[in-house]
């Protein structure tokens, strides 16, 4: 009976979200509450909700301060010198421009916000692509792969945050083991950018390339605004990432301290600090409240026994000999599911059941979270990705045209990401 109620809860939640009858925040709270009352757990709802909130609170705080920190860095122009340097180093060569696009996109994606990433990349490179006649679908393909690999993996990006919160995981343990496959996949993306650049170079008149190279050479190096704050911000960000990898402290503590330091240095005036917080809180608050709502969802589903019952029902049809492949299975099915489904429906609806099933074979939920995050590269080109529509508006192309161009490149990169995750032990197959 509990399994039926559990699957019904997930089905109703996913239908409400996918059909856009309710926002994810409302649906993820009201659906489990309604079914718990029907199942006779109404008197215990308060303790269940509190239990769930306690587990996701650290993740919510981490997300808040990570978004605020990278917002300050973006406002300070941390990546502007890199963008300008890439353009100078390209010397008008389409191959170098495409590779430079990939490098900048991978770095900017650390922000965790897709819309911001696309706007920065397009503002830096789209005029150059149009000047040379490079297909703008190339910059879109590179940017979406970078966003899926980096923002989709980092624990302050919206996707992975959902997995970490809904499965009650330690963000540091999740992320440290994903760094190796993420770096390898980043190298793969740079390789794809190189191939796309070579293909575009063959289509462009060499005289056009030479003319643009001369224009770049004639431009004076822009050093405006490159003061000590720029070097301080770069050093602070590098130190933050090093401490994060070494696991010196919890991620949430690192980002809280780093944000306070960045705020004091870049915006010493009290009025400026308040304005900066208000500006970037608009990006963080919607996801933070969604994470808190996810805590209520999982608290009710777990404490009522629905999650266990659903997992047992699924295990009944899975041969014991294949149980150790659940992480790999999660990564593979995550590609098509994340393409068509919203992150809310996938991470809050599908992933917890897979994680509970995996636990019966001694597989930790962290591996399932990592496997689920891999599919984000496919989600970044799917119709459920909201930032994608912003990107399509910037390059003035429709969804079908973009998907026909990008699908094979992104799919190949996603498969490589799975392979890297297996080889580095981020997800196990035995």
């Amino acid at each position: 009976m509990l399994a039926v109620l559990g699957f019904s809860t997930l089905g109703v939640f996913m239908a409400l979200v996918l059909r856009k009858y309710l926002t994810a925040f409302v649906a993820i709270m009201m659906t489990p509450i309604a079914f718990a009352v029907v199942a006779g757990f109404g008197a215990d709802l308060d303790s269940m909700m509190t239990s769930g909130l306690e587990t996701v609170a650290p993740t919510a705080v981490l997300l808040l301060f990570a978004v605020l920190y990278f917002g300050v860095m973006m406002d300070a122009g941390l990546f502007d010198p890199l963008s300008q340097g890439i353009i100078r180093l390209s010397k008008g060569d389409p191959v170098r421009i495409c590779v430079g696009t990939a490098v900048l996109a991978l770095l900017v994606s650390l922000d965790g916000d897709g819309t911001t990433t696309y706007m920065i990349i397009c503002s830096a490179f789209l005029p150059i692509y149009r000047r040379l006649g490079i297909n703008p679908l190339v910059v879109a393909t590179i940017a979406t792969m970078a966003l899926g690999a980096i923002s989709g993996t980092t624990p302050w990006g919206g996707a992975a945050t959902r997995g970490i919160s809904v499965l009650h995981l330690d963000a540091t343990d999740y992320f440290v083991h994903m760094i190796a496959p993420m770096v390898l996949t980043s190298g793969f993306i740079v390789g794809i950018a190189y191939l796309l650049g070579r293909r575009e170079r063959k289509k462009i008149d060499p005289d056009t390339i030479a003319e643009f190279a001369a224009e770049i050479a004639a431009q004076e190096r822009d050093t405006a605004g490159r003061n000590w704050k720029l070097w301080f911000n770069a050093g602070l960000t590098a130190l933050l990432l090093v401490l994060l990898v070494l696991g010196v402290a919890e991620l949430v503590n690192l980002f809280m301290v780093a944000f306070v330091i960045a705020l004091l240095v870049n915006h010493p005036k009290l009025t400026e600090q308040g304005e900066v917080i208000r500006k970037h809180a608009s990006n963080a608050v919607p996801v933070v409240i969604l994470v808190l709502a996810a805590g209520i969802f999982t608290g009710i589903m777990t404490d009522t026994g629905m999650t266990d019952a659903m997992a047992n029902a699924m295990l009944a049809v899975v041969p014991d000999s294949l149980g150790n492949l659940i992480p790999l299975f999660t990564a593979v099915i995550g590609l098509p599911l994340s393409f068509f489904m919203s992150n809310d429906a996938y991470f809050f609806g599908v992933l917890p059941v897979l994680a509970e099933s995996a636990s019966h074979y001694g597989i930790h939920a962290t591996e399932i979270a990592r496997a689920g995050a891999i599919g984000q590269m496919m989600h970044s080109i799917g119709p459920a990705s909201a930032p994608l529509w912003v990107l399509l508006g910037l390059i003035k192309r429709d969804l079908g045209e973009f998907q026909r161009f990008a699908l094979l490149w992104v799919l190949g990169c996603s498969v490589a990401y799975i392979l890297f995750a297996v080889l580095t032990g981020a997800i196990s197959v035995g």
Side-chain angles (χ1 to χ4, degrees):
M1 181 61 181
L2 283 177
V4 174
L5 286 172
F7 284 117
S8 299
T9 302
L10 293 183
V12 171
F13 162 69
M14 293 168 67
L16 291 173
V17 172
L18 294 176
R19 300 291 295 178
K20 298 182 179 179
Y21 292 133
L22 293 175
T23 63
F25 171 70
V26 175
I28 202 172
M29 286 184 60
M30 298 310 300
T31 307
I33 290 175
F35 277 90
V37 171
V38 170
F41 293 99
D44 301 318
L45 277 176
D46 181 58
S47 61
M48 293 177 181
M49 294 169 68
T50 301
S51 173
L53 286 172
E54 289 174 349
T55 59
V56 301
T59 300
V61 177
L62 165 65
L63 176 62
L64 173 63
F65 283 96
V67 171
L68 290 174
Y69 175 80
F70 281 109
V72 171
M73 292 297 107
M74 292 297 178
D75 287 347
L78 177 61
F79 298 106
D80 289 351
L82 178 61
S83 173
Q84 296 167 8
I86 289 172
I87 293 173
R88 287 196 305 274
L89 291 173
S90 71
K91 298 180 180 179
D93 183 7
V95 175
R96 294 185 182 183
I97 290 172
C98 290
V99 170
T101 302
V103 172
L104 184 61
L106 290 165
L107 291 173
V108 175
S109 293
L110 285 170
D111 165 71
D113 181 71
T115 301
T116 301
T117 297
Y118 292 151
M119 292 183 69
I120 291 174
I121 296 302
C122 287
S123 63
F125 285 101
L126 197 54
I128 299 172
Y129 276 61
R130 287 172 175 159
R131 169 69 176 79
L132 286 173
I134 301 175
N135 190 343
L137 292 173
V138 173
V139 69
T141 300
I142 294 171
T144 53
M145 287 191 297
L147 186 72
I150 303 300
S151 180
T153 300
T154 54
W156 54 87
T161 298
R162 288 170 170 83
I164 293 170
S165 61
V166 80
L167 299 180
H168 309 160
L169 305 177
D170 177 75
T172 303
D173 182 48
Y174 156 85
F175 185 53
V176 168
H177 293 84
M178 283 298 286
I179 292 175
M182 186 171 67
V183 170
L184 291 172
T185 305
S186 297
F188 198 86
I189 292 171
V190 171
I192 290 178
Y194 175 80
L195 294 176
L196 289 172
R198 284 182 60 88
R199 193 171 72 171
E200 290 299 310
R201 186 167 60 184
K202 295 177 181 178
K203 303 176 183 177
I204 301 173
D205 186 346
D207 292 337
T208 301
I209 297 176
E211 182 181 345
F212 183 60
E215 292 177 10
I216 294 175
Q219 293 176 354
E220 293 184 5
R221 184 171 182 173
D222 180 17
T223 58
R226 298 193 189 184
N227 51 31
W228 65 270
K229 288 185 180 180
L230 178 64
W231 296 107
F232 179 86
N233 290 331
L236 179 62
T237 302
L239 177 62
L240 173 63
L241 295 177
V242 170
L243 295 177
L244 184 153
V245 173
L246 295 177
V248 173
E250 293 292 332
L251 284 178
V252 60
N253 296 328
L254 290 174
F255 271 106
M256 287 182 70
V257 174
F259 169 67
V260 170
I261 295 173
L263 192 63
L264 288 171
V265 171
N266 291 279
H267 304 280
K269 295 182 180 179
L270 182 62
T271 53
E272 290 182 2
Q273 293 175 6
E275 182 60 32
V276 167
I277 292 174
R278 283 190 293 272
K279 175 183 177 182
H280 296 291
S282 62
N283 295 325
V285 169
V287 185
V288 169
I289 63 174
L290 189 57
V291 169
L292 295 175
I296 292 176
F297 179 89
T298 55
I300 294 174
M301 295 292 288
T302 301
D303 292 350
T304 57
M306 292 184 193
T307 303
D308 283 337
M310 288 187 293
N312 289 331
M314 292 184 64
L315 287 172
V317 297
V318 177
D320 290 338
S321 59
L322 299 180
N324 60 340
L325 296 179
I326 290 179
L328 179 60
F329 173 75
T330 300
V332 172
I333 68 167
L335 301 184
L337 288 180
S338 61
F339 179 86
F340 291 107
M341 296 173 66
S342 68
N343 279 335
D344 301 318
Y346 177 64
F347 282 97
F348 296 146
V350 177
L351 214 63
V353 179
L354 291 171
E356 185 62 30
S357 300
S359 68
H360 290 263
Y361 294 94
I363 300 170
H364 197 275
T366 307
E367 289 197 44
I368 302 301
R370 295 175 191 144
I374 290 174
Q376 284 306 291
M377 204 176 300
M378 291 298 294
H379 177 76
S380 65
I381 68 168
S385 173
L388 175 60
W389 296 99
V390 176
L391 176 63
L392 295 178
L394 291 170
I395 67 171
K396 295 180 172 57
R397 292 293 190 276
D398 61 53
L399 179 63
E401 184 181 8
F402 169 66
Q403 289 178 338
R404 285 191 295 272
F405 181 91
L407 183 60
L408 290 179
W409 296 106
V410 177
L411 180 60
C413 197
S414 298
V415 172
Y417 203 173
I418 294 175
L419 178 62
F420 295 144
V422 171
L423 292 177
T424 58
I427 60 174
S428 63
V429 293

